[in-house]
């Protein structure tokens, strides 16, 4: 990392840290002039006269603490609006409700297991058609679009194989067709490293549970848009479906944003060190990290991002036994699902986060028994590398050198 940004990547978004700390947090909005926005736990608000309220009437419809968070995230996404939801999947649900029975969703084939499960086992039963396509290949995306297509859903980098998708190229393909929305799940990158809306996406969404909150103590979803009509439709659904976060969770996530810039810089630093260590290790078959020159879309990610998050995926040599032994012997990395917190986590996608993806699809995507996903946290670099080394030694304890 160089001062001002990572070598070869886009420069950092201007005023990011200042906006994270100040936008939506103005002390003048509170009678007490509190510098830190208070937690507004009230579910209801006194009206001046019947139907005349001072901006809030019922906390599902709007809440002062949630409003502070939504304003801050909108600024960080370079967006006009943001809406907060009870989880990332609640955000996915609300976006999907923009459609009607008979409409088609094109979804990237390599996505978060929960997204895959929702589209396959819930949305399709509600009358939506969902097709899974490798959207990293523009010709495949173009060929999949039909008159019934109303929404294209991509992640970049993908979960868990870290494919990078050209957002601008996708937007160009999608927007040749009338009334088709492009959604980018930006969970892995956070607003600090990638701004999908500036690259042509219509909707940027997050599981804020991950990097945006960054402390593994909140479950939340976020959606940012620029279009006035789209915002009004999503705002109506947010209130009508009711999957909203608590004021306390909004307070925690809002607080997490204040350190997003410094956290993401350190995640990148540590992840790069981990990826380089693993790539040089003879016990590792292959490392996938977009920040490495060996990644097939390394140049693309440098063109559309300001850096890389702490996600590193690798194939350990051997079989499932080696992968399981490695994971069980980690001490600094915790064997756990989720990602994006300050602590380092490791997991086995085929058994854990992506077990709901059909086996034949997992195999086609490369989610094999030897695939390991790391969420590299903020611990000291040398401790992380030592932990990986000792766990690899344990996995190959019976191996004759």
């Amino acid at each position: 990392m160089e001062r001002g940004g990572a070598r070869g990547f886009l420069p950092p978004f201007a005023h990011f840290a200042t906006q994270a700390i100040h936008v939506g947090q103005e002390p003048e909005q509170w009678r007490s002039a509190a510098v830190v926005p208070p937690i507004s736990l009230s579910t209801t608000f006194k009206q001046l006269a019947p139907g005349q309220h001072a901006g809030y009437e019922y906390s599902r419809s709007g809440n002062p603490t949630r409003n502070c968070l939504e304003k801050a995230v909108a600024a960080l996404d370079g967006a006009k609006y943001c809406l907060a939801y009870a989880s990332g999947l609640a955000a996915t649900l609300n976006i999907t409700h923009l459609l009607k029975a008979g409409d088609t969703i094109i979804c990237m084939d390599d996505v978060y297991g929960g997204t895959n499960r929702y589209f396959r086992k819930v949305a399709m039963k509600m009358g939506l058609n969902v097709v899974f396509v490798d959207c990293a290949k523009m010709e495949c995306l173009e060929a999949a679009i039909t008159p019934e297509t109303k929404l294209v859903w991509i992640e970049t980098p993908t979960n868990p194989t870290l494919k990078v998708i050209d957002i601008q190229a996708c937007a160009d393909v999608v927007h040749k067709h009338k009334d088709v929305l492009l959604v980018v799940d930006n969970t892995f990158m956070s607003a600090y490293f990638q701004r999908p809306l500036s690259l042509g996406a219509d909707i940027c969404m997050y599981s804020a549970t991950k990097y945006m909150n960054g402390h593994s103590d909140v479950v939340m979803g976020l959606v940012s848009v620029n279009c006035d009509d789209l915002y009004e439709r999503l705002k109506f659904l947010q209130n009508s479906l009711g999957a909203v976060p608590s004021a306390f969770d909004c307070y925690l996530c809002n607080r997490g944003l204040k350190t997003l810039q410094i956290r993401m810089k350190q995640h990148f630093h540590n992840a790069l060190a981990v990826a380089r260590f693993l790539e040089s290790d003879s016990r590792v078959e292959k490392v996938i990290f977009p920040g490495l020159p060996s990644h097939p879309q390394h140049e693309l990610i440098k063109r559309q991002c300001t850096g890389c998050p702490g996600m590193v995926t690798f194939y350990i040599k051997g079989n499932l036994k080696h992968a399981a032994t490695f994971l069980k012997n980690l001490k600094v990395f915790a064997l756990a699902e989720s990602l994006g917190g300050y602590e380092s986590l490791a997991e086995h996608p085929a058994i854990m986060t992506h077990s709901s993806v059909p086996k034949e699809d997992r195999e086609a995507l490369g989610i094999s028994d030897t695939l390991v996903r790391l969420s590299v946290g903020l611990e000291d670099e040398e401790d992380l590398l030592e932990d990986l080394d000792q766990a690899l030694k344990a996995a190959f304890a019976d191996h004759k050198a």
Side-chain angles (χ1 to χ4, degrees):
M1 297 282 288
E2 296 178 319
R3 181 172 175 81
R7 184 189 296 272
F9 286 80
L10 290 177
F13 302 118
H15 314 297
F16 189 93
T18 302
Q19 290 177 330
I21 291 168
H22 293 290
V23 173
Q25 322 297 300
E26 298 81 5
E28 293 77 17
Q29 66 187 301
W30 316 112
R31 187 172 297 174
S32 65
V35 173
V36 176
I39 305 171
S40 181
L41 295 175
S42 182
T43 59
T44 191
F45 302 86
K46 184 178 179 180
Q47 301 196 10
L48 304 174
Q52 296 181 27
H53 57 80
Y56 302 96
E57 49 188 331
Y58 185 61
S59 208
R60 170 168 39 79
S61 308
N63 175 277
T65 312
R66 191 170 88 215
N67 188 50
C68 291
L69 169 65
E70 291 173 339
K71 284 183 177 179
V73 173
L76 300 184
D77 274 330
K80 196 171 180 181
Y81 308 106
C82 176
L83 294 163
Y85 298 91
S87 69
L89 280 169
T92 301
L93 168 74
N94 275 258
I95 293 167
T96 306
H97 269 72
L98 293 167
L99 310 184
K100 65 181 187 306
D103 289 344
T104 295
I105 296 171
I106 294 174
C107 181
M108 177 65 188
D109 57 358
D110 183 23
V111 290
Y112 164 55
T115 303
N116 184 299
R117 180 179 59 232
Y118 170 72
F119 282 153
R120 286 183 186 275
K121 298 188 176 181
V122 181
M124 291 179 77
K125 290 183 178 179
M126 300 298 288
L128 292 168
N129 301 311
V130 184
V131 293
F132 292 86
V133 173
D134 184 357
C135 295
K137 299 175 181 175
M138 294 307 118
E139 65 275 16
C140 295
L141 173 59
E142 181 70 77
I145 296 176
T146 69
E148 289 73 41
T149 303
K150 298 301 176 188
L151 189 146
V152 174
W153 187 286
I154 64 173
E155 290 178 7
T156 181
T158 61
N159 183 1
T161 62
L162 303 181
K163 286 185 193 172
V164 180
I165 301 171
D166 189 331
I167 298 172
Q168 184 67 66
C170 275
D172 292 343
V173 169
V174 168
H175 293 147
K176 285 193 291 186
H177 304 267
K178 187 180 179 184
D179 298 327
V180 183
L181 296 171
L182 175 61
V183 181
V184 176
D185 183 338
N186 205 35
T187 298
F188 269 28
M189 294 304 284
S190 87
Y192 182 68
F193 283 139
Q194 184 168 267
R195 282 184 170 172
L197 298 181
S198 70
L199 297 168
D202 299 293
I203 299 174
C204 170
M205 69 80 60
Y206 301 92
S207 169
T209 311
K210 317 307 192 294
Y211 286 113
M212 294 293 273
N213 176 63
H215 292 74
S216 299
D217 54 9
V218 167
V219 174
M220 187 184 293
L222 297 166
V223 170
S224 293
V225 298
N226 280 322
C227 173
D228 296 345
D229 177 66
L230 195 51
Y231 168 72
E232 292 299 333
R233 291 164 65 196
L234 285 167
K235 178 71 175 171
F236 175 81
L237 289 168
Q238 182 194 47
N239 184 49
S240 299
L241 295 174
V244 294
S246 72
F248 186 69
D249 282 354
C250 289
Y251 161 79
L252 287 175
C253 188
N254 190 27
R255 185 175 67 168
L257 294 179
K258 308 305 178 250
T259 59
L260 182 59
Q261 174 172 289
I262 57 174
R263 285 189 288 108
M264 297 313 293
K265 286 181 177 180
Q266 191 63 31
H267 281 300
F268 187 9
H269 173 88
N270 282 354
L272 186 58
V274 163
R276 286 171 173 164
F277 168 79
L278 292 171
E279 193 169 54
S280 67
D281 196 289
S282 61
R283 297 162 294 192
V284 173
E285 189 72 41
K286 180 184 178 183
V287 177
I288 308 172
F289 179 64
L292 288 175
S294 58
H295 191 283
Q297 292 101 32
H298 179 63
E299 293 303 318
L300 170 59
I301 204 163
K302 289 196 294 185
R303 289 200 308 272
Q304 72 180 15
C305 304
T306 66
C308 294
M311 303 308 299
V312 178
T313 299
F314 73 96
Y315 292 91
I316 192 170
K317 285 185 176 177
N319 51 39
L320 177 59
K321 179 183 176 182
H322 293 90
T325 303
F326 167 79
L327 289 166
K328 286 190 289 187
N329 279 277
L330 289 167
K331 295 178 172 59
V332 177
F333 284 82
L335 176 57
E337 296 191 5
S338 200
L339 58 108
Y342 52 76
E343 74 291 346
S344 290
L345 303 175
E347 66 107 5
H348 191 278
I351 295 175
M352 297 168 68
T353 54
H354 289 69
S355 61
S356 62
V357 178
K359 188 174 187 294
E360 60 274 17
D361 291 347
R362 290 202 308 267
E363 291 173 351
L365 292 168
I367 306 174
S368 70
D369 285 345
T370 58
L371 183 70
V372 174
R373 192 189 76 181
L374 303 177
S375 174
V376 182
L378 306 179
E379 299 91 344
D380 292 308
E381 175 188 324
E382 58 268 31
D383 294 328
L384 295 173
L385 301 187
E386 286 177 10
D387 191 36
L388 293 170
D389 187 46
Q390 66 82 23
L392 284 167
K393 285 178 181 173
F396 291 91
D398 297 330
H399 180 70
K400 299 271 194 272

